[in-house]
Amino acid sequence: MKQAALVLACALAVSPSAAAGLPGFSAGAFQSFGTDKYRGTDVYAAASLGDFSVAPEYRRYEETGLNGSRHALSLRLGWDGRWIGTGLSGGVVPSKAGYGAAWGGADVAFTISPMGEGKIRRVGGPSRGGAPVGKGLARVDFGGGALVTQHRQAATAAAAASKLTQTELNAFVGASVVGVLASARLAKYAYNADMLNNANRLPGAVWSPLAGHLRYANGYADTSLNLGVELPFFPLITPFVGATYTKYKELSVAAGGRPGDTKAYTAGLRVGLEMLALEAQFQHVAQAGPAKERNYAGLGAQLRL
């Protein structure tokens, strides 16, 4: 809980009232819902001073079969210039019903042929900045990062306490070509335990978000590839589509065996005004094997000052 209090204090320090005097501030919320009475909430903000930024975030979700809702607090400190950007991030899921998690990571991104002035949102990158800019035919962004997450499960009458450290290494590339924004992100996961023979003695994947998935609980992944395309050809309106293919770690037969690969397909629209941006999307998730298909939808709004 001390970790949660620290992250919450950082979030309050850059609340709208505290950030009003800064030259850049944005805040937004995204609400998702879907199969098995899933409800997910994402509330975020970002305040910038020159090339530096502070971005707190609060997320929660609940669904059928989960013992109450789960909450996550996180914070990202970033520095973004015209040619390079980097950031440090960390977060915590406060312990509830015996499960808790904490994570920390770093990322870096590079830009080839950046044009225009001011901040940019790198295509496919982790930061929430302004709309991508670029003159000429193309701009290419690329980079990567690492994220280490520790999952913890308290002891019960039937099982001892357990921990699992998950390490994610990811890389992305994005391009802006005559207005079309295309991106690809590949992530590889490693674990500090024998997942095949010890699955019954490891924490459940209660908090396991994946890039390209609306749901926050997706299992222990092995590899995940996320592809996205934005088509900002219409005044104020930007359609976008995405696809995410994920393979999961093989577990023991007693723990259910190897989960089937998932394919998540997303389509949506973003509407951008000067101070307000709106977003709506729909996602269909198909999984190999007997698992049922799932559908999710989401609505969001962002205020930009």
Side-chain angles (χ1 to χ4, degrees):
M1 292 306 293
K2 291 182 179 179
Q3 291 174 304
L6 176 60
V7 177
L8 180 59
C10 294
L12 293 176
V14 290
S15 64
S17 59
L22 297 177
F25 177 76
S26 64
F30 188 86
Q31 181 68 44
S32 56
F33 47 92
T35 301
D36 292 330
K37 298 181 180 180
Y38 179 87
R39 298 290 184 273
T41 302
D42 182 0
V43 180
Y44 57 89
S48 61
L49 180 61
D51 293 332
F52 295 93
S53 63
V54 181
E57 187 172 17
Y58 164 75
R59 290 174 288 174
R60 70 174 294 279
Y61 84 95
E62 61 182 69
E63 65 182 352
T64 301
L66 188 67
N67 186 9
S69 60
R70 292 298 189 273
H71 306 261
L73 295 167
S74 60
L75 184 71
R76 183 179 186 273
L77 304 177
W79 180 88
D80 289 284
R82 288 183 59 189
W83 301 96
I84 186 174
T86 187
L88 297 173
S89 60
V92 61
V93 175
S95 182
K96 183 175 183 179
Y99 174 87
W103 62 88
D107 58 81
V108 63
F110 303 91
T111 296
I112 298 176
S113 301
M115 302 297 291
E117 300 297 332
K119 292 185 179 299
I120 61 174
R121 172 174 65 86
R122 291 182 165 85
V123 184
S127 64
R128 286 189 176 99
V133 296
K135 297 178 182 178
L137 293 179
R139 195 188 88 232
V140 178
D141 302 324
F142 62 95
L147 185 70
V148 178
T149 302
Q150 185 179 77
H151 305 267
R152 305 182 305 274
Q153 185 67 51
T156 65
S162 60
K163 294 182 180 180
L164 176 66
T165 299
Q166 176 189 51
T167 301
E168 174 192 335
L169 299 177
N170 61 73
F172 81 90
V173 61
S176 172
V177 182
V178 291
V180 177
L181 309 179
S183 64
R185 181 185 188 275
L186 177 63
K188 174 65 177 178
Y189 297 84
Y191 302 86
N192 71 334
D194 183 348
M195 304 292 285
L196 178 60
N197 297 313
N198 293 288
N200 283 333
R201 296 187 292 273
L202 296 175
V206 177
W207 184 262
S208 50
L210 287 173
H213 279 255
L214 290 179
R215 188 172 180 239
Y216 292 144
N218 297 286
Y220 290 130
D222 183 28
T223 58
S224 186
L225 175 64
N226 173 241
L227 305 174
V229 176
E230 299 180 40
L231 304 169
F233 291 153
F234 308 100
L236 305 179
I237 300 176
T238 300
F240 63 90
V241 294
T244 303
Y245 176 69
T246 305
K247 296 182 66 174
Y248 298 87
K249 297 296 292 186
E250 184 175 1
L251 307 177
S252 64
V253 175
R258 181 174 177 271
D261 302 348
T262 58
K263 298 177 181 179
Y265 304 100
T266 306
L269 292 173
R270 296 189 181 99
V271 179
L273 306 175
E274 289 188 3
M275 293 181 58
L276 182 66
L278 304 175
E279 179 178 331
Q281 59 178 281
F282 174 80
Q283 183 172 93
H284 175 74
V285 180
Q287 185 165 11
K292 66 181 179 182
E293 298 185 349
R294 303 189 300 272
N295 295 302
Y296 302 92
L299 297 171
Q302 182 186 60
L303 180 65
R304 303 176 292 194
L305 302 176

